[in-house]
Each structure stands twice: as structure tokens, then as C-alpha cells.
């Protein structure tokens, strides 16, 4: 889990939401006690053994009835209608350029191979691109064989793959002016993507952003590396109340790259600080742009039409203040970064209040190109979570999948004749092709029979999912129960928390990991609880922590632990809590509350003070420090340092965390030292927020040993 997972809440923020079809069971079940017999437990080594994970099934729709599937180094094309398949890209072709992935051009004539991957931030990376001509079999091993790309922070376009690139912008400069790509905060918090340019449907125009970080203050951290002297990483990183990047939108005519026009922000927004939220082409001469004010309480969807060489604002299609909207694309094959439907001239929206769909799905525009009922029917069956209120439309997945599939998602072919149904749980995951025209399963892609066989001789935990009624809400929790669970016995308890705005930890997804090991081998109950501030249970619950982070979401984890102890099977003297990112923050705040409930806790990459986190995320929930001074000051971990004397605390952080900076953990460490608190700490050199590579397994080994000492 990451601090930035919750992208929208309380503020008006247009987002693309992947179509999730979730069946909502009204009965909560607990697997019956099982006899472990001679079964082996699920070990810590098993938790990091990829062969002991359920398989997924990747595919990319390329038409209404064809998709590409990559397996064992090659790519196969499948025809769903005929049931035939053939090799599309051989392993030898991938090996020719040592490619790890590929992209198919829109016209189906070229493949872009990617090699030499190097991660930058969460979504951005650098790579070597090679263009493969499917007709001739010739490979161009140059990144410049694209019709649009960014090089040294400038935008280039080409009229054809073999033509000479033409430079569109000239002012690009590292950490100052970025053309065609977002800076750190826009990538992380606004776009959830490294993409900063967008083709019009017919390819006549290219829209791109200019990100100006001139006034943004710099965060610096040391990169130790392998050289004699370490280097310093510098990132423009706006924090609450400090200058933000200035982002402008331009459109270039690809037939005449000197014809560049700014898409100007409307006057009511342009006079103050604002964000460019989304960009969506409607036609080659119409573009839809969402603008959002800095405090994220006012959003407009502005439509622009091309008149001569000017993009004129012709109408405001949506003007929302102090309400919470989801913008959902219903385009078949949509992805998370597709905020509007190309089948609708503009968009489809719904307003969520109190956990219920209170307005109809709206197709706003001149024409519905595809059958409206078919698509709206799929979207109106979205049950945002098992906690939501069941709507009256027929469930599309219930009869198909049954009680083992209560958390489902759909990925549609181009005209929605078929879709890949992904069943994520609570049973072992399953993937299949569904014929949308008759709502029948056509092909099973992956049923994980091999995985079932691998775990058949292992003593696996059972899952308990239920609700606790608190503060007038039915609040959900889940528990991993040890094999052979006996209610008359006492078990140690570990709370696995995230707790951030609009987050969810209790769900019906089937997971195998560290919690599986702890329950199976260590006989520890691992529980998660969604309290106030969590998502998908209505605005009243979610908005409870608006302008007051570090309050109710912290109190509720303490209350939940007490409720679990009262159930009678928890050892009250062996209760712990752990979390990562926002979960690390909540863990630290809980331990610093001095409740006496928890014996120990582990905080990975925690926030310590909201003043230190980025502006877009923090101000969305806390406003600016000058407008909410008391809650900024009262929501710090460091102010609770003296109450850590009574708990065992493990603090973990990567020194190259570009998201929640090492500064945050350093502040906690300093405060604890000042109070003479004895605690444990683990720093991971040159590791970012995800603690990847060898650090990841090392972390879980280290936390396991810490937990064993705590519960001894």
C-alpha cells in the first residue's frame, strides 16, 4: 500500500475508474475448523516462492474478437470467435533486441519493443525502444522511430515512422521545464501516469503539457551508489503551502508544427492557483479538459472547439463544488487513464452519496455511438464494494461465478462483444472469456488448478469477514485464522493497517503472502479493519477525517483491537500493529497514543508530519497549513514520542524514498532519542518507497524476527 493510493475524496476530482463488478454477499462465512493432520504449514520461504502464488492471465484486446497473450517469452494471437490461435511474436524476435515488453501500434503494422528498463519514479522509467515492422520483419533499433516522443524534456513528432523527427518545443530543461511529461507530483498524485501528451483520434493534433517547476522547492537526498563519493538526488517537490508547478496545455498541428496553440484555462480558474486534472480528445477538433482549483473543492469540465487556429472554450459541461464525483469511461478495453468514453461524445458520470448511487448514469453529448443500455447496464451493476448497497439491476457475474467469485473485474473487447472476467476471490482466482451478447462463459483462461495442487498438502489459514457496529456504522474487518482455529484458545493478534482516506483493507480478494505465513506457521491472527475515513462505505464515513488526518482513523484501530480482544480468542498481552506508508503513520500514531492495548508495532516508510508530504495529496485532505494550523500541529508522530516508552517499536525506511522522504523517519528517530526511548530501526540504502530487490524479503524476515521477540 502507498500513501498516494487514495486519489480522490472530499475534493472534487475527476478520475477514471476501471469497471469493477463486485457481487455483494449478505451472509458472512467462516470456514469450519479443519484437522491439520500431516499437512505442512505455509512457511516464510513459501511466501516468497512465486510458484506458490496464483497465476493471472494477461491479454490485450486488438479488435472485438482478437487478443494478444504473452507467455514464456513469445506472444500469441487468439481469435475468440473461431477458437484458433497462432504465434504473433516469437521469442527469437524478443531476444533479438533483448526486449522485456512490447506495444502494438494502433494500425497494427508496427511493434515497439522495450529493453534496458530503468525505473525512475512510481510510473516513469527510461528504456531503449526498437520498432519492428510486422510486414517486413525489419527492426529499427532507435527510440526516434515513434510518431511522438519526449527527448531531453522536449517534444518531437514525425509524420511517419521512417520520416525525420521534427522538434516541437525548445525550452525543455531538467528540473525546470518539462514538455510532454509530468513532474514528480503530477505523476504521483494527479495523472497516476508518466504520460504528458495525447493524440487526437485521427492523429491530426497532439496535445501536450508544459510543466514549469521554476518556483518549486527542491528536496535533496543522498544516493550512496558504488562510487568513492556519494551523489545527491534533487527533485522539485512541492509541500503544503509552498509553490506548486505551473502546468499549461498546448496543441500542435502535426502537419505544421509551427502551429502551436495554448488551451487556455478559463478565467475563474486562471486567476488563482489550479491544476490541470485530465485531458481527453473528443474529435480532432474538440477537446475536453478538467481544471481543478488548488484546494480541490471546485472542478470544471471545459469543452474547447477548434476555430481557425484557436481552441475556444465553447461550454462548461460540468461545474462542481464541494461534491464528490466519479468520472467513468465506458469505452471497451478502457484503462485506468481513460477518463472519458470515446463511445460517448463526452462522458458518463455518477454521484455517490452515502454509499448509494443517487443519480442515474448520464451520457452527456450529442450521440451515443453504441447501444447505451448495454454499456450503462454494465456500469450500473458496479457494486463499489461488498459494503455498498445492492442495486436492483441483475447481477452479471453471480450466476457465472458463484460464491467463490465475489470480487470481479471486466476488461472488454473493442465493441464489447466479449470481455475477460477476472475473479479475484474469495476463492482461488480464475480468469475467463465471457460472451457479452449471451452472458455465457466461452473460454476458461486460467483456473489455477496447478496452484490448488501445490497447496493441497499445506495447512492454509481460513478467512473470517464480518462487521463491527461503531458510531452508527457497520464497519468491516477480516481475519486470517490459523489452521485448526479453536475459539476456546488464545491467539496473538497482529493488526495490518493502512487507514488512509478512501482506502480499503477488508475485501474479498484472495491473497497469499506474509499474513498467510504468520497465521499458518506462527499461529498469529492477522486482522484488518476499515474505520472512519475508509472508502466505499458512503461519504459520511469517508469524509469523517477531512481536515483532521491522524484522528479518527487512528482511534478506530485502537477501538477495533479492543473489540477483537472482547471476542474471547485474542491474547490481550500479545497484540501488535504494523503498516506501510500511511499505514506506517497510523501504526506510529496508535503506538504513541498510550492506549495500553498494543505491546509492539512496526512502521515502514511512515509519514511523521503532514507538512513534509507533497502538496496535492496533503492539501486535498488537510487544506493548507495556514488554513488548518491546529490539525497540522496535532497530527504529528513526533509530538507523541514520550509515550513510546511503553511499547516496542521498529522503524523502517529507505534512504532513497522519493515519495515519503527519509526525512520523515529521521524526524521520528530524533524525537524518540530526545525522549530517551529505546527502539529498533532499519534503514535500506538507496531503496525507494517500495523497498524492492533484496530489501523486500529482508524486510519481512526482519519484521518476523521482531514479532517473534515481541510475542515470546
Amino acid at each position: 500500500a502507498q500513501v498516494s493510493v487514495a486519489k480522490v475524496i472530499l475534493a472534487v476530482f475527476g478520475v477514471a475508474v476501471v469497471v469493477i463488478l463486485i457481487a455483494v454477499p449478505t451472509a458472512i462465512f467462516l470456514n469450519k475448523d479443519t484437522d491439520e493432520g500431516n499437512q505442512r504449514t505455509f512457511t516464510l520461504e513459501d511466501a516468497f516462492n512465486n510458484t506458490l502464488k496464483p497465476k493471472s492471465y494477461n491479454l490485450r484486446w486488438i479488435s472485438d474478437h482478437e487478443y494478444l497473450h504473452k507467455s514464456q517469452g513469445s506472444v500469441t494471437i487468439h481469435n475468440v470467435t473461431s477458437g484458433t490461435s497462432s504465434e504473433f511474436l516469437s521469442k527469437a524476435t524478443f531476444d533479438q533486441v533483448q526486449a522485456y515488453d512490447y506495444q502494438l501500434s494502433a494500425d497494427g503494422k508496427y511493434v515497439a519493443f522495450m529493453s534496458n528498463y530503468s525505473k525512475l519514479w512510481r510510473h516513469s522509467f527510461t528504456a531503449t525502444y526498437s520498432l519492428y515492422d510486422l510486414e517486413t520483419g525489419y527492426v529499427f533499433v532507435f527510440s526516434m522511430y515513434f510518431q511522438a516522443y519526449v527527448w531531453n524534456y522536449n517534444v518531437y513528432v514525425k509524420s511517419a515512422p521512417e520520416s525525420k523527427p521534427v522538434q516541437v518545443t525548445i525550452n525543455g530543461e531538467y528540473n525546470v521545464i518539462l514538455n510532454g511529461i509530468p513532474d514528480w507530483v503530477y505523476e504521483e498524485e494527479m495523472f497516476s501516469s508518466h504520460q504528458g501528451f495525447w493524440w487526437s483520434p485521427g492523429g491530426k493534433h497532439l496535445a501536450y503539457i508544459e510543466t514549469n517547476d521554476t518556483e518549486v522547492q527542491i528536496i535533496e537526498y543522498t544516493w550512496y551508489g558504488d562510487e568513492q563519493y556519494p551523489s545527491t538526488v534533487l527533485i522539485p517537490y512541492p509541500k503544503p503551502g509552498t509553490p506548486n508547478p505551473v502546468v499549461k496545455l498546448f496543441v500542435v498541428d502535426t502537419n505544421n508544427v509551427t502551429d502551436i496553440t495554448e488551451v487556455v484555462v478559463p478565467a475563474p480558474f486562471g486567476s488563482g492557483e489550479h491544476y490541470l486534472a485530465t485531458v481527453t480528445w473528443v474529435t480532432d477538433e474538440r477537446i475536453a479538459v478538467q481544471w481543478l482549483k488548488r484546494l480541490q473543492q471546485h472542478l470544471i469540465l471545459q469543452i474547447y472547439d477548434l476555430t481557425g487556429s484557436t481552441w475556444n472554450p465553447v461550454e462548461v459541461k460540468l461545474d462542481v463544488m464541494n461534491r464528490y464525483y466519479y468520472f467513468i469511461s465506458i469505452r471497451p478495453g478502457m484503462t485506468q487513464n481513460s477518463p472519458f468514453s470515446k463511445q460517448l461524445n463526452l462522458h458518463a458520470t455518477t454521484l455517490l452519496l452515502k454509499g448509494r448511487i443517487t443519480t442515474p448514469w448520464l451520457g452527456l453529448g450529442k450521440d451515443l455511438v453504441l447501444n447505451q443500455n448495454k454499456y450503462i447496464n454494465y456500469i450500473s451493476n458496479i457494486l463499489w464494494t461488498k459494503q455498498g448497497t445492492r442495486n436492483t439491476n441483475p447481477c452479471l457475474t453471480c450466476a457465472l461465478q458463484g460464491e467463490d467469485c465475489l470480487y470481479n473485474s471486466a476488461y472488454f473487447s473493442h465493441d464489447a462483444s466479449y470481455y475477460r472476467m477476472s475473479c479475484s476471490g474469495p476463492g482461488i482466482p480464475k480468469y475467463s472469456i465471457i460472451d457479452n451478447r449471451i452472458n455465457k462463459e466461452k473460454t476458461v483462461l486460467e483456473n489455477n488448478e496447478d496452484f490448488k495442487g501445490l497447496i493441497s498438502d499445506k495447512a492454509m489459514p481460513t478467512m473470517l469477514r464480518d462487521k463491527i457496529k461503531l458510531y452508527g456504522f457497520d464497519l468491516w474487518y477480516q481475519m486470517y485464522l490459523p489452521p485448526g482455529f479453536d475459539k476456546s484458545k488464545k491467539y496473538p493478534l497482529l493488526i495490518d493497517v493502512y487507514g488512509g482516506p478512501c482506502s480499503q483493507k477488508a475485501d474479498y480478494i484472495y491473497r497469499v503472502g506474509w499474513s498467510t505465513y504468520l497465521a499458518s506457521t506462527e499461529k498469529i491472527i492477522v486482522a484488518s479493519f476499515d474505520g472512519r475515513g475508509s472508502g466505499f462505505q458512503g461519504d459520511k464515513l469517508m469524509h469523517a477525517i477531512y481536515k483532521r488526518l491522524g484522528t479518527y482513523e487512528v482511534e478506530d484501530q485502537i477501538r477495533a483491537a479492543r473489540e477483537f480482544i472482547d471476542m474471547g480468542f485474542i491474547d490481550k498481552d500479545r497484540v501488535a500493529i504494523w503498516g506501510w506508508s500511511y499505514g506506517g503513520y497510523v501504526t506510529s500514531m496508535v503506538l504513541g497514543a498510550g492506549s495500553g492495548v498494543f505491546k509492539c508495532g512496526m512502521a515502514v516508510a511512515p509519514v511523521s508530519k503532514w507538512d513534509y508530504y507533497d502538496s496535492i495529496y496533503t492539501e486535498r485532505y488537510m487544506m493548507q497549513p495556514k488554513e488548518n494550523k491546529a490539525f497540522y500541529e496535532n497530527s504529528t508522530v513526533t509530538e507523541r514520542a514520550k509515550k513510546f516508552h511503553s511499547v516496542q517499536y521498529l522503524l523502517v525506511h529507505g534512504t532513497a524514498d522519493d515519495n515519503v522522504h527519509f526525512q520523515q523517519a529521521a524526524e521520528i528517530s530524533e524525537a524518540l532519542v530526545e525522549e530517551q526511548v529505546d527502539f529498533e530501526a532499519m534503514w535500506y540504502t538507496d531503496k525507494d518507497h517500495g523497498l524492492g530487490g533484496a530489501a523486500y524479503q529482508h524486510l519481512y524476515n526482519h519484521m518476523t524476527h521482531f514479532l517473534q521477540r515481541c510475542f515470546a
Side-chain angles (χ1 to χ4, degrees):
Q2 311 290 343
V3 164
S4 60
V5 165
K7 291 296 181 186
V8 286
I9 180 181
L10 316 172
V12 182
F13 182 35
V15 294
V17 180
V18 176
V19 177
I20 304 292
L21 311 178
I22 306 175
V24 183
T26 56
I28 301 303
F29 59 88
L30 169 63
N31 291 354
K32 294 181 180 179
D33 291 353
T34 59
D35 181 6
E36 295 180 60
N38 295 321
Q39 288 184 312
R40 297 179 294 118
T41 64
F42 189 89
T43 67
L44 186 56
E45 291 72 24
D46 289 337
F48 293 96
N49 183 349
N50 287 330
T51 64
L52 281 176
K53 297 286 193 297
K55 293 180 181 178
S56 59
Y57 189 91
N58 69 83
L59 67 80
R60 303 180 187 184
W61 290 107
I62 60 172
S63 71
D64 191 44
H65 61 279
E66 294 174 304
Y67 68 83
L68 300 177
H69 170 63
K70 185 181 179 186
S71 178
Q72 297 181 336
S74 64
V75 175
T76 307
I77 184 170
H78 295 257
N79 187 309
V80 177
T81 304
S82 67
T84 59
S85 63
S86 60
E87 187 174 73
F88 186 74
L89 293 169
S90 68
K91 184 177 184 300
T93 306
F94 274 86
D95 292 343
Q96 186 177 347
V97 289
Q98 297 180 318
Y100 70 92
D101 203 359
Y102 73 101
Q103 295 175 0
L104 181 67
S105 64
D107 61 10
K109 294 181 179 180
Y110 300 93
V111 170
F113 286 114
M114 293 174 279
S115 55
N116 300 321
Y117 171 90
S118 179
K119 183 179 184 291
L120 185 56
W121 312 131
R122 188 192 299 271
H123 306 283
S124 56
F125 60 91
T126 61
T128 300
Y129 287 83
S130 308
L131 201 68
Y132 176 69
D133 189 320
L134 286 168
E135 182 177 348
T136 66
Y138 188 73
V139 178
F140 304 90
V141 193
F142 297 98
S143 63
M144 282 66 173
Y145 286 93
F146 285 94
Q147 286 193 262
Y149 61 89
V150 175
W151 180 258
N152 285 337
Y153 311 102
N154 283 309
V155 175
Y156 293 76
V157 297
K158 294 159 60 69
S159 58
E162 66 277 0
S163 63
K164 184 178 180 180
V166 180
Q167 187 170 347
V168 175
T169 64
I170 60 173
N171 61 341
E173 183 180 349
Y174 174 68
N175 274 355
V176 181
I177 302 291
L178 289 71
N179 292 294
I181 55 173
D183 69 349
W184 187 94
V185 75
Y186 258 79
E187 174 183 329
E188 176 72 16
E189 305 291 4
M190 191 59 64
F191 291 167
S192 294
S193 167
H194 65 283
Q195 181 178 335
F197 64 77
W198 303 267
W199 283 102
S200 66
K204 178 174 172 53
H205 294 106
L206 182 75
Y208 66 90
I209 59 170
E210 177 195 86
T211 306
N212 189 330
D213 278 333
T214 302
E215 300 300 322
V216 179
Q217 295 184 55
I218 302 292
I219 185 72
E220 302 181 19
Y221 58 81
T222 298
W223 182 265
Y224 295 96
D226 298 320
E227 301 300 322
Q228 187 176 18
Y229 290 90
S231 58
T232 301
V233 178
L234 299 92
I235 309 172
Y237 185 104
K239 297 188 179 184
T242 69
N244 261 340
V246 177
V247 176
K248 296 181 179 180
L249 181 65
F250 294 91
V251 174
V252 58
D253 186 332
T254 57
N255 295 320
N256 177 15
V257 296
T258 62
D259 184 3
I260 303 174
T261 307
E262 182 178 358
V263 180
V264 180
V265 61
F269 279 57
S271 60
E273 292 190 81
H274 58 270
Y275 298 111
L276 170 66
T278 68
V279 177
T280 304
W281 283 99
V282 183
T283 68
D284 276 346
E285 285 76 37
R286 170 169 281 203
I287 193 169
V289 183
Q290 289 186 61
W291 302 98
L292 181 65
K293 287 194 174 180
R294 177 161 180 167
L295 288 185
Q296 302 173 62
Q297 297 173 335
H298 187 188
L299 174 142
I300 61 171
L301 173 62
Q302 179 70 61
I303 309 302
Y304 299 84
D305 281 349
L306 180 62
T307 305
S309 60
T310 304
W311 291 92
N312 290 317
V314 292
E315 62 177 319
V316 175
K317 207 64 186 182
L318 191 68
D319 190 332
V320 186
M321 294 184 68
N322 301 314
R323 287 192 292 171
Y324 178 47
Y325 270 79
Y326 275 112
F327 290 85
I328 298 184
S329 166
I330 57 172
R331 173 171 58 85
M334 69 183 183
T335 65
Q336 190 174 0
N337 296 311
S338 304
F340 298 103
S341 168
K342 290 186 179 178
Q343 268 59 44
L344 298 177
N345 271 2
L346 291 179
H347 61 283
T349 68
T350 189
L351 170 63
L352 267 67
L353 290 174
K354 298 180 181 178
R356 302 173 62 186
I357 295 177
T358 56
T359 59
W361 293 90
L362 305 175
L364 304 180
K366 298 177 182 178
D367 302 292
L368 296 180
V369 179
L370 298 180
N371 182 288
Q372 177 180 357
N373 290 333
K374 178 166 62 174
Y375 291 104
I376 300 303
N377 202 24
Y378 272 92
I379 294 184
S380 66
N381 274 282
I382 295 174
L383 300 174
W384 297 92
T385 171
K386 58 181 173 50
Q387 293 96 327
T389 301
R390 182 187 293 275
N391 66 38
T392 58
N393 292 313
C395 174
L396 297 177
T397 62
C398 300
L400 287 172
Q401 308 293 349
E403 288 298 305
D404 281 340
C405 292
L406 302 176
Y407 198 109
N408 302 292
S409 63
Y411 171 36
F412 290 88
S413 63
H414 286 191
D415 290 326
S417 294
Y418 303 96
Y419 60 91
R420 178 192 62 191
M421 176 59 69
S422 300
C423 159
S424 300
I428 293 173
K430 175 184 176 182
Y431 302 84
S432 55
I433 295 292
I434 307 297
D435 188 328
N436 186 23
R437 299 163 297 183
I438 57 175
N439 198 34
K440 297 288 186 182
E441 184 176 82
K442 186 171 181 64
T443 307
V444 175
L445 302 172
E446 177 61 67
N447 57 14
N448 276 299
E449 288 298 327
D450 291 343
F451 172 73
K452 293 176 186 176
L454 290 172
I455 64 170
S456 63
D457 67 339
K458 293 185 179 295
M460 301 294 283
T462 54
M463 293 297 296
L464 167 65
R465 297 176 174 93
D466 207 341
K467 294 176 287 187
I468 299 174
K469 193 168 188 65
L470 295 174
Y471 323 113
F473 299 104
D474 290 325
L475 302 178
W476 285 82
Y477 69 87
Q478 67 180 30
M479 286 182 176
Y480 288 79
L481 299 178
F485 171 72
D486 185 343
K487 293 180 181 179
S488 67
K489 294 181 180 180
K490 299 287 186 180
Y491 297 87
L493 171 69
L494 174 64
I495 302 288
D496 177 1
V497 64
Y498 186 75
C502 200
S503 64
Q504 183 184 42
K505 287 288 284 186
D507 57 33
Y508 274 101
I509 296 177
Y510 181 92
R511 295 180 177 88
V512 175
W514 191 51
S515 296
T516 312
Y517 152 71
L518 291 175
S520 178
T521 299
E522 302 294 339
K523 304 299 184 277
I524 297 170
I525 291 177
V526 183
S528 293
F529 172 77
D530 291 325
R532 284 173 289 181
S534 58
F536 314 110
Q537 300 180 76
D539 282 2
K540 184 178 180 181
L541 183 76
M542 183 173 64
H543 292 184
I545 59 174
Y546 181 48
K547 297 193 290 188
R548 54 190 309 144
L549 298 185
T551 57
Y552 296 141
E553 79 274 34
V554 175
E555 296 170 18
D556 289 356
Q557 296 301 317
I558 299 171
R559 178 66 182 274
R562 289 191 170 115
E563 294 286 332
F564 296 152
I565 291 170
D566 289 343
M567 291 177 182
F569 50 81
I570 300 298
D571 183 346
K572 66 180 179 59
D573 296 321
R574 293 191 294 167
V575 178
I577 185 170
W578 94 279
W580 196 316
S581 196
Y582 200 108
Y585 168 70
V586 173
T587 293
S588 303
M589 293 290 284
V590 163
L591 294 176
S595 66
V597 173
F598 295 90
K599 184 178 181 182
C600 62
M602 302 159 286
V604 182
V607 168
S608 63
K609 298 179 180 179
W610 289 111
D611 301 75
Y612 293 168
Y613 197 55
D614 76 63
S615 58
I616 296 181
Y617 182 93
T618 307
E619 292 174 9
R620 184 182 301 147
Y621 310 119
M622 290 284 278
M623 305 182 75
Q624 294 193 21
K626 64 183 179 183
E627 299 162 318
N628 194 20
K629 186 172 183 288
F631 277 99
Y632 269 92
E633 292 176 349
N634 294 331
S635 61
T636 70
V637 176
T638 53
E639 289 300 310
R640 300 188 173 199
K642 65 180 63 177
K643 294 187 178 180
F644 278 74
H645 283 287
S646 60
V647 296
Q648 299 171 37
Y649 182 55
L650 173 61
L651 176 62
V652 178
H653 220 109
T655 65
D657 192 331
D658 57 283
N659 187 348
V660 181
H661 304 137
F662 184 73
Q663 172 193 21
Q664 305 262 19
E667 286 285 322
I668 296 175
S669 174
E670 182 182 32
L672 295 175
V673 169
E674 287 295 319
E675 293 293 337
Q676 295 299 304
V677 173
D678 190 14
F679 68 102
E680 296 186 31
M682 174 61 70
W683 314 135
Y684 287 101
T685 305
D686 292 345
K687 294 300 181 182
D688 64 14
H689 197 59
L691 299 179
Y696 191 75
Q697 185 168 350
H698 186 277
L699 166 66
Y700 283 98
N701 279 316
H702 192 71
M703 291 196 299
T704 297
H705 298 151
F706 177 85
L707 201 58
Q708 288 169 338
R709 293 193 299 272
C710 173
F711 287 163

